[in-house]
Amino acid sequence: MSKLREDQLAVWRAFVNAHAGVIRRIEKDLAERHQVPLIWYDVLVALYQSPGKKLRMTELADKVVLTPSGLTRLVERLEKEGLVRRERTEEDRRGSYTVLTREGKRAFLKAWPTYEQGIREYFIQVLTEEECRIIGDGLSRIYQSSRL
Amino acid sequence: MSKLREDQLAVWRAFVNAHAGVIRRIEKDLAERHQVPLIWYDVLVALYQSPGKKLRMTELADKVVLTPSGLTRLVERLEKEGLVRRERTEEDRRGSYTVLTREGKRAFLKAWPTYEQGIREYFIQVLTEEECRIIGDGLSRIYQSSRL
DNA sequence: TAGCAATATTTGAATCCGCAAATAAAATGG
DNA sequence: CCATTTTATTTGCGGATTCAAATATTGCTA
């Protein structure tokens, strides 16, 4: 229950500000070139990288860090644009899969270079290899311990 | 224009996920104990730490990483609760100061322990001193370079 | 110093998200 | 097996944030 030091608070603020800043920057780049918000690509990336190019709602919500209800609406929008399709599961009829459509794959491949470049330019390149490794380790642990 | 490596992408995801996870955790703690959202405290902290306990809208928007319009509404809500007050500036009548009221100061001091504990518990304590330093350095640079 | 560009902030309209409650379908226990 | 609990997802609702346009004031320049 010790007090937070000044420099520790500064680290926290750096974390919050860096996040907001970089996200805004990437969002702007994507909007300028593709007119589609960042979170859409998070969904498409998650689906693209999953075996079978499909995921349960819960898995997807987890990957993109949204609440279940938030994800439902997000998938609705993507479905309306034809980038994903929903499939009722056979095994567990409570749930459904969100499947990447051909068009969704195309949209993803088209937008990915911009997104990738943003991550590189605003985030990765600003760090040394070692910093990058250490930050990855630390933040992964933080993420893990924040779940629950 | 080289490709992003797998491990670099993982660092990015750790960054995004850690942020979302920790913010949500702290937000929940604050809501349980004080019924006031996190962003309010960001404003109160910023004001509390500023000389004169007051800031221009633009400065404040910058500190809490909101757009001008977002900040206007936020300050409106805080004003309605009596935690801040707006003062027209003498020098530049386009602008206004947001001033921390006595009640705002009290609210801040009351809530700060919870916020502080969240930052410590979900963020600082998960890291070693060295990691903390390195992460602070790296993220500060990232933040700086993301500003325009 | 009149006129026009730049800056600070607010407002209107639209979107998006989270919480809590609702629904629906498994899973579990006796 | 039936009843109850748990899990997966969706809906109703309200709040919060953004973009673009509006407003107000200042600063610059000819």
Side-chain angles (χ1 to χ4, degrees):
Chain A
M1 191 33 170
S2 69
K3 260 211 156 327
L4 207 56
R5 294 196 316 262
E6 195 61 43
D7 61 303
Q8 294 175 320
L9 184 57
V11 174
W12 168 253
R13 291 242 63 97
F15 177 58
V16 172
N17 290 339
H19 181 268
V22 173
I23 291 290
R24 223 172 254 187
R25 212 52 196 276
I26 294 178
E27 189 92 61
K28 180 166 280 185
D29 290 350
L30 283 170
E32 277 168 7
R33 302 186 208 176
H34 305 284
Q35 286 83 43
V36 173
L38 181 54
I39 187 89
W40 286 32
Y41 295 122
D42 287 332
V43 171
L44 298 179
V45 174
L47 290 174
Y48 188 78
Q49 293 184 334
S50 76
K53 307 276 185 274
K54 66 180 182 179
L55 288 170
R56 292 288 292 261
M57 296 299 269
T58 314
E59 300 173 305
L60 200 45
D62 197 65
K63 301 248 185 205
V64 303
V65 201
L66 271 190
T67 58
S69 69
L71 186 73
T72 296
R73 267 74 176 246
L74 176 55
V75 169
E76 273 169 16
R77 277 170 264 147
L78 287 168
E79 194 171 29
K80 200 169 293 179
E81 297 296 321
L83 304 183
V84 305
R85 168 171 37 88
R86 265 184 286 195
E87 259 175 24
R88 212 71 194 173
T89 67
E90 293 306 319
E91 329 81 80
D92 179 350
R93 285 187 306 179
R94 287 170 302 183
S96 60
Y97 281 112
T98 299
V99 191
L100 193 63
T101 62
R102 182 170 305 166
E103 200 169 341
K105 183 178 168 183
R106 189 142 29 87
F108 164 69
L109 291 174
K110 173 154 168 276
W112 180 238
T114 304
Y115 193 175
E116 188 179 38
Q117 191 195 333
I119 297 172
R120 212 177 325 107
E121 183 176 345
Y122 306 129
F123 187 75
I124 296 291
Q125 278 187 350
V126 183
L127 305 171
T128 67
E129 281 282 334
E130 198 199 0
E131 280 177 329
C132 199
R133 192 176 46 69
I134 291 172
I135 289 175
D137 285 357
L139 295 184
S140 295
R141 286 208 311 284
I142 287 173
Y143 172 51
Q144 286 309 327
S145 83
S146 78
R147 303 163 56 85
L148 239 228
Chain B
M1 192 31 170
S2 70
K3 258 212 158 329
L4 207 56
R5 295 196 314 263
E6 194 62 43
D7 61 302
Q8 294 175 319
L9 184 57
V11 174
W12 168 253
R13 291 243 63 96
F15 178 57
V16 172
N17 290 338
H19 181 268
V22 173
I23 291 290
R24 220 171 259 189
R25 218 38 203 275
I26 294 179
E27 189 90 64
K28 181 166 280 186
D29 289 351
L30 282 170
E32 278 168 8
R33 303 186 209 177
H34 305 283
Q35 287 85 43
V36 173
L38 182 53
I39 186 91
W40 287 31
Y41 296 120
D42 287 333
V43 172
L44 298 179
V45 174
L47 290 174
Y48 188 78
Q49 294 183 334
S50 76
K53 307 276 186 274
K54 66 180 182 179
L55 288 171
R56 292 287 293 260
M57 295 301 268
T58 314
E59 299 173 306
L60 201 45
D62 197 65
K63 300 247 186 207
V64 304
V65 202
L66 271 189
T67 59
S69 68
L71 185 73
T72 295
R73 267 78 177 240
L74 176 54
V75 170
E76 272 169 15
R77 277 170 264 148
L78 287 168
E79 195 171 28
K80 200 169 293 176
E81 297 294 322
L83 305 184
V84 305
R85 168 172 39 87
R86 265 183 286 195
E87 259 175 27
R88 213 72 194 173
T89 68
E90 293 306 318
E91 327 84 79
D92 180 349
R93 284 188 307 179
R94 286 170 302 182
S96 59
Y97 281 112
T98 299
V99 191
L100 193 61
T101 62
R102 183 170 306 166
E103 199 169 343
K105 184 178 168 184
R106 188 143 28 89
F108 164 69
L109 291 174
K110 172 156 171 275
W112 180 239
T114 303
Y115 192 176
E116 189 179 38
Q117 191 194 334
I119 297 173
R120 214 178 323 110
E121 182 177 345
Y122 306 129
F123 187 75
I124 296 292
Q125 278 187 351
V126 184
L127 305 171
T128 67
E129 281 283 334
E130 199 198 0
E131 280 177 328
C132 199
R133 191 176 46 69
I134 292 173
I135 289 175
D137 284 358
L139 295 184
S140 295
R141 286 207 311 284
I142 287 173
Y143 173 51
Q144 286 309 325
S145 82
S146 79
R147 300 163 59 85
L148 247 221

